[in-house]
């Protein structure tokens, strides 16, 4: 798991610590303008309800909210998120 996290952190172009995660519609609001995020296609985040677990997702849409806030729509990457908890 450490290697997985290190790999994805080495690829980051933006990192935010003050975001709003909305589970009901699979979005994250980030404090960055939409134009600055066009080259992004993947997201990883921690949900404090699950402690230190990382979640991973494919960005499906960037929605303009205001010049300094974008709503990032995503689809959960089930394999990357849960691969180390699977018993085969």
């Amino acid at each position: 798991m450490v290697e997985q996290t290190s790999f994805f952190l080495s690829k980051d172009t933006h990192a935010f610590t003050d975001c709003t995660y909305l589970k009901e519609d699979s979005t994250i609001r980030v404090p960055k303008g939409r134009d600055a995020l066009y080259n992004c296609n993947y997201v990883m985040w921690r949900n404090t309800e699950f402690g230190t677990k990382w979640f991973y997702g494919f960005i499906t849409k960037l929605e303009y909210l205001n010049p300094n806030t974008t709503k990032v729509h995503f689809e959960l990457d089930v394999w990357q998120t849960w691969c180390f908890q699977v018993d085969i």
Side-chain angles (χ1 to χ4, degrees), residues 43-79:
V43 63
M44 65 183 280
W45 73 96
R46 285 187 181 165
N47 184 346
T48 56
E49 292 179 23
F50 290 98
T52 60
K53 174 155 185 52
W54 285 101
F55 293 82
Y56 302 86
F58 300 100
I59 294 175
T60 59
K61 179 181 172 184
L62 298 172
E63 182 179 342
Y64 174 88
L65 296 180
N66 64 51
N68 300 312
T69 307
T70 301
K71 185 186 265 190
V72 177
H73 295 254
F74 65 89
E75 181 180 314
L76 186 67
D77 183 345
V78 177
W79 180 251

Side-chain angles (χ1 to χ4, degrees), residues 13-48:
T13 56
H14 302 285
F16 306 104
T17 57
D18 189 19
C19 299
T20 303
Y21 167 64
L22 301 171
K23 183 178 179 181
E24 61 274 2
D25 65 355
S26 296
T27 62
I28 300 172
R29 291 182 184 176
V30 297
K32 194 77 159 179
R34 184 178 67 176
D35 293 346
L37 301 173
Y38 276 135
N39 291 330
C40 300
N41 60 11
Y42 203 75
V43 63
M44 65 183 280
W45 73 96
R46 285 187 181 165
N47 184 346
T48 56

